[in-house]
């Protein structure tokens, strides 16, 4: 940790200063980063957590993350999905996070492309538009035309963004560790796991080879569907830092809201939008994680185009089954099924009170039991489920939260186009299909054989594991591991008390020394030192030592 502090000291200081600026100085002090502030800021800053009340906590967190830059903006966007752990008002504020970035200048863009392909831009494209289509904190996109005549969008990663993000991720790991040692809620919600999830997500988003692979899978999946358009990837013009795809240009969502253009029926568009998304999630197993209006285009004949697959979710067969069971459990009013499904879907805490949790599931079940599909809004269902899991400190994996957020976004889109369309009504056939597939004899036999194989395989390892355990017990090598999460906090308290005692003792010592010198000067006999200003020198030395001790204690943040 000390090495990281030294290596990234300037960035640590920036982060700590911004935390204090937006009213989170008490966290800085609690986790022991107080000393990273300059002395003037240590003196004038508010560390009580009661100041800076002009804005809501959600607005302050959003402004803070925007000021800290691209890594923290992306972290906020990830956390905006986690309504299972964050209050809705904070999550809502973070959904409004914006990338305030200046586009990369054209010459830098062209240099970046040339470095990637070993050729100047003019040799790669017959036309390359220097004005970017869109600019974000990680990348920006440009319109271009290949030598063979295809119109393409070229997505270029910003120079040096990898270094910035990797450094910030290291710091986030450090901060997560400090926060977990200090706060119970941080351990409950496993902040380190969130940082790990975030680091994987942002590294995947920066890897355009991975995005190209995902786009190709969905392109192939919808290849025989004339109503869904997924851009083609041009592999020969794509690398880890540059991605080239078909340029898709159609009607924007806002144009459908103001009045559908000729050849477009909003009702049909809504149905196809929902079904195409459910096809992705529940059949293909890969779904667009951010289907907002900017990532959708519409064409005559009620065709829909998806772009930007940097953020995608994945559902395996077990996850698809669990999601279907969750909806079925709600609609059938089966609390036990809901409990088993949520247990399978999530990470249940060791200290979960099952009786209270099941009581809350009963309330949730009664709310939706026997309610017609047309009267159930998927956004409200997901919100209620997240509220129950949050209450019991149950952590929901990223792919489920991403699916929930995407469904809520879709519901918002279709509601503005056609209020009579209901996602759950359209999803019902998918649930039935998953149920039929699960009850298929071949699927049941396959599952039985796999479970039987696991039982036999694990049983074979029991004797050796038992022998090792008994051997360790016999030799006295058994180790007991204890976790004392509050130990560091208690040590900090002891350190603070020791500093105060040391300060008091030194102050008393200085007072005694000064008193002796004053008495000696007043009542002592004359000597060779009579002409030397002993009192002035002594006072100066004492004050100098006093300031050094005071400054060292004060800068430790534990006074």
């Amino acid at each position: 940790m000390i090495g990281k502090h030294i290596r990234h000291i300037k960035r640590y200081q920036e982060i700590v200063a911004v935390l204090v600026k937006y009213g989170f100085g008490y966290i800085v002090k609690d986790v022991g980063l107080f000393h990273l502030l300059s002395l003037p800021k240590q003196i004038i800053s508010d560390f009580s957590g009661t100041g800076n009340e002009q804005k809501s906590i959600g607005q302050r967190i959003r402004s803070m993350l925007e000021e800290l830059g691209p890594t923290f903006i992306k972290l906020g966007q990830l956390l905006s999905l986690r309504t299972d752990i964050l209050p809705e008002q904070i999550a809502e504020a973070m959904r409004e996070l914006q990338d305030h970035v200046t586009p990369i200048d054209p010459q830098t863009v062209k240099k970046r492309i040339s470095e990637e392909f070993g050729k100047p831009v003019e040799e790669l494209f017959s036309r390359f538009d220097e004005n970017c289509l869109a600019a974000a904190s990680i990348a920006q996109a440009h319109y271009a035309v290949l030598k063979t005549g295809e119109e393409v969008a070229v997505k270029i990663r910003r120079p040096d963004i990898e270094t910035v993000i990797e450094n910030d991720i290291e710091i986030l790991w450090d901060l997560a560790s400090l926060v977990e040692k200090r706060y119970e809620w941080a351990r409950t919600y496993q902040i380190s796991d969130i940082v790990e999830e975030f680091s994987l997500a942002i590294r995947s988003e920066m890897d355009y080879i991975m995005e190209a692979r995902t786009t190709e899978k969905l392109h192939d999946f919808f290849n025989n569907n004339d109503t869904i358009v997924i851009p083609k990837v041009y592999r020969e013009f794509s690398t880890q830092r540059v991605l080239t795809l078909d340029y898709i240009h159609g009607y924007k969502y806002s144009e459908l809201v103001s009045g559908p253009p000729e050849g477009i029926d909003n009702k049909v568009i809504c149905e196809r939008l929902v079904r195409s998304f459910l096809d992705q999630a529940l059949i293909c197993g890969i779904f667009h994680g951010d289907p907002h209006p900017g990532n959708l285009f519409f064409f005559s004949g009620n065709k829909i185009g998806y772009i930007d697959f940097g953020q995608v979710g994945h559902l395996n067969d077990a996850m698809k089954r669990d999601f279907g069971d969750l909806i079925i459990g709600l609609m059938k009013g089966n609390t036990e099924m809901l409990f088993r499904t949520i247990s399978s879907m999530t990470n249940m805490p060791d200290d979960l009170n099952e009786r209270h949790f099941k009581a809350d599931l009963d309330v949730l079940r009664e709310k939706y039991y026997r309610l017609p599909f047309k009267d159930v809004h998927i956004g409200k269902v997901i919100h209620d489920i997240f509220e129950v899991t949050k209450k019991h400190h149950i952590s929901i994996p990223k792919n489920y939260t991403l699916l929930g957020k995407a469904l809520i976004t879709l519901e918002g889109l279709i509601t503005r186009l056609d209020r009579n369309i209901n996602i759950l009504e359209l999803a019902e056939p998918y649930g039935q299909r998953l149920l039929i597939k699960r009850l298929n004899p071949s699927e049941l036999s396959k599952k039985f054989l796999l479970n039987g194989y696991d039982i036999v395989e694990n049983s074979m390892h029991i004797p050796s594991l038992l022998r090792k355990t008994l051997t360790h017990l016999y030799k006295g090598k058994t180790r007991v591991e204890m976790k004392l999460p509050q130990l560091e906090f208690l040590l900090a308290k002891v350190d603070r008390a020791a500093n105060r005692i040391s300060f008091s003792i030194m102050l008393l010592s200085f007072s005694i020394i000064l008193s002796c010198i004053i008495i000696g000067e007043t009542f002592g006999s004359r000597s060779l030192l009579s002409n030397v200003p002993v009192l002035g020198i002594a006072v100066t030395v004492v004050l100098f030592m006093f300031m050094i001790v005071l400054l060292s204690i004060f800068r430790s943040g534990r006074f």
Side-chain angles (χ1 to χ4, degrees):
M1 189 176 292
I2 293 173
K4 291 179 184 178
H5 276 166
I6 295 172
R7 189 164 67 250
H8 305 313
I9 187 68
K10 186 176 179 182
R11 183 58 171 158
Y12 270 102
Q13 289 171 334
E14 289 173 3
I15 293 169
V16 167
V18 172
L19 280 166
V20 172
K21 175 182 175 181
Y22 287 98
F24 301 102
Y26 64 96
I27 296 177
V28 170
K29 196 165 186 177
D30 284 349
V31 301
L33 296 178
F34 179 84
H35 64 282
L36 293 176
L37 288 169
S38 63
L39 186 57
K41 285 185 179 178
Q42 290 180 11
I43 296 171
I44 66 172
S45 296
D46 174 25
F47 297 96
S48 65
T50 58
N52 205 338
E53 297 297 333
Q54 295 88 351
K55 294 182 178 180
S56 70
I57 187 170
Q59 290 173 319
R60 285 190 282 132
I61 292 174
R62 186 187 69 218
S63 300
M64 178 184 71
L65 294 176
E66 286 176 346
E67 186 168 333
L68 286 173
T71 311
F72 290 84
I73 290 171
K74 292 294 179 184
L75 176 62
Q77 290 170 347
L78 170 70
L79 289 173
S80 71
L81 308 177
R82 300 301 302 267
T83 49
D84 59 314
I85 62 174
L86 284 181
E88 179 57 32
Q89 61 269 27
I90 295 179
E92 183 64 36
M94 286 199 278
R95 290 183 197 120
E96 299 172 11
L97 278 165
Q98 299 293 324
D99 290 345
H100 301 294
V101 295
T102 303
I104 316 167
D105 66 273
Q107 295 309 313
T108 303
V109 170
K110 289 182 177 181
K111 180 182 177 184
R112 183 82 163 177
I113 294 173
S114 298
E115 287 173 351
E116 288 298 306
F117 298 103
K119 295 180 182 179
V121 170
E122 292 73 21
E123 288 187 25
L124 296 167
F125 308 101
S126 61
R127 176 186 168 187
F128 186 87
D129 195 342
E130 293 187 350
N131 297 316
C132 69
L133 295 168
S137 54
I138 289 180
Q140 68 183 47
H142 288 256
Y143 170 82
V145 179
L146 297 177
K147 295 286 187 180
T148 49
E150 293 94 340
E151 293 181 294
V152 294
V154 184
K155 188 175 176 181
I156 305 104
R157 198 161 75 190
R158 297 178 77 88
D160 303 322
I161 191 66
E162 310 97 282
T163 304
V164 171
I165 287 175
E166 288 299 330
N167 289 344
D168 280 350
I169 286 173
E170 277 193 31
I171 293 172
L172 282 171
W173 276 113
D174 193 355
L175 294 176
S177 175
L178 291 172
V179 169
E180 283 186 338
K181 288 175 181 176
R182 176 62 183 87
Y183 297 111
E184 177 66 32
W185 60 263
R187 293 189 293 276
T188 299
Y189 290 118
Q190 300 173 313
I191 300 300
S192 293
D193 289 349
I194 293 174
V195 172
E196 181 177 7
E197 177 186 315
F198 166 69
S199 63
L200 292 172
I202 196 167
R203 284 167 179 150
S204 297
E205 190 172 341
M206 288 196 301
D207 186 352
Y208 293 156
I209 295 297
M210 187 174 293
E211 183 176 341
R213 193 178 301 125
T214 302
T215 307
E216 286 174 334
K217 285 180 180 177
L218 286 168
H219 180 272
D220 294 342
F221 179 75
F222 285 110
N223 194 39
N224 296 321
N225 190 328
D226 295 333
T227 65
I228 304 299
V229 179
I230 305 293
K232 174 187 173 183
V233 177
Y234 293 87
R235 281 281 187 167
E236 63 272 32
F237 298 100
S238 299
T239 66
Q240 199 169 17
R241 295 180 178 85
V242 178
L243 179 62
T244 304
L245 313 106
D246 275 333
Y247 177 67
I248 294 180
H249 48 95
Y251 295 111
K252 295 182 179 179
Y253 175 78
S254 57
E255 295 177 82
L256 273 65
V257 173
S258 59
E262 187 177 349
I264 290 183
D265 183 329
N266 280 357
K267 179 179 175 63
V268 176
I269 284 289
C270 288
E271 291 178 353
R272 288 182 177 175
L273 192 57
V274 173
R275 288 198 175 103
S276 64
F277 181 82
L278 293 173
D279 283 342
Q280 293 172 49
L282 301 180
I283 298 177
C284 181
I286 303 172
F287 61 91
H288 198 301
D290 194 18
H292 67 74
N295 288 334
L296 297 168
F297 288 97
F298 306 92
F299 311 89
S300 296
N302 299 310
K303 294 183 180 181
I304 301 168
Y306 287 86
I307 64 167
D308 193 359
F309 291 91
Q311 188 179 69
V312 294
H314 297 82
L315 296 181
N316 57 32
D317 288 341
M319 296 171 84
K320 295 175 195 174
R321 182 189 66 240
D322 287 340
F323 181 73
D325 284 349
L326 189 67
I327 303 300
I328 292 169
L330 276 174
M331 296 308 164
K332 289 190 173 182
N334 189 328
T335 302
E336 196 59 40
M337 184 178 184
L338 282 173
F339 178 77
R340 287 198 311 270
T341 303
I342 293 177
S343 299
S344 175
M345 291 173 67
T346 63
N347 302 313
M348 307 283 265
D350 295 333
D351 59 350
L352 176 71
N353 187 317
E354 289 190 16
R355 186 168 59 84
H356 289 169
F357 181 47
K358 286 183 178 180
D360 286 335
L361 290 179
D362 280 334
V363 174
L364 189 63
R365 177 206 66 188
E366 288 299 321
K367 185 173 182 178
Y368 296 105
Y369 183 43
R370 291 180 180 171
L371 205 62
F373 273 131
K374 63 183 179 63
D375 296 330
V376 180
H377 296 285
I378 191 73
K380 183 62 178 169
V381 174
I382 292 169
H383 177 267
D384 287 345
I385 292 170
F386 284 173
E387 283 299 307
V388 172
T389 56
K390 180 167 60 179
K391 178 181 177 181
H392 293 276
H393 307 301
I394 297 171
S395 177
I396 299 178
K398 173 204 166 188
N399 282 305
Y400 288 124
T401 56
L402 194 60
L403 177 62
K405 180 254 185 182
L407 286 170
I408 291 170
T409 302
L410 274 181
E411 187 171 60
L413 293 179
I414 66 173
T415 300
R416 293 189 66 191
L417 296 179
D418 190 326
R419 292 186 175 275
N420 296 318
I421 301 291
N422 184 280
I423 290 181
L424 281 175
E425 280 189 300
L426 295 173
E428 186 179 12
Y430 291 86
Q432 292 173 351
R433 192 184 310 175
L434 287 171
L435 188 61
I436 292 170
K437 181 181 178 183
R438 195 188 321 168
L439 296 175
N440 187 294
S442 63
E443 288 292 324
L444 289 173
S445 60
K446 188 189 300 182
K447 185 176 180 181
F448 177 77
L449 287 172
L450 287 172
N451 287 338
Y453 175 78
D454 285 341
I455 291 170
V456 172
E457 186 71 17
N458 290 328
S459 299
M460 292 173 65
H461 293 289
I462 290 175
S464 61
L465 288 172
L466 185 60
R467 184 172 60 253
K468 287 180 182 177
T469 303
L470 292 173
T471 301
H472 281 125
L473 284 169
Y474 177 74
K475 292 183 177 180
K477 292 183 178 180
T478 306
R479 185 176 64 182
V480 178
E481 188 174 314
M482 296 179 66
K483 286 189 176 181
L484 297 173
Q486 294 293 336
L487 182 60
E488 186 161 318
F489 175 62
L490 292 173
L491 289 174
K493 286 282 189 183
V494 172
D495 195 11
R496 189 176 288 114
N499 279 338
R500 289 178 178 175
I501 293 169
S502 300
F503 176 72
S504 301
I505 291 172
M506 293 197 71
L507 187 60
L508 178 62
S509 301
F510 292 154
S511 301
I512 293 170
I513 292 169
L514 281 174
S515 299
C516 291
I517 292 171
I518 291 169
I519 292 169
E521 284 289 303
T522 305
F523 301 105
S525 59
R526 309 295 292 177
S527 66
L528 291 173
L529 297 175
S530 299
N531 297 323
V532 178
V534 176
L535 183 60
I537 294 172
V539 170
T540 303
V541 171
V542 166
L543 285 175
F544 179 70
M545 293 175 65
F546 176 76
M547 290 302 296
I548 288 175
V549 173
L550 181 62
L551 182 63
S552 64
I553 294 175
F554 190 66
R555 284 186 66 84
S556 72
R558 293 180 176 177
F559 181 66

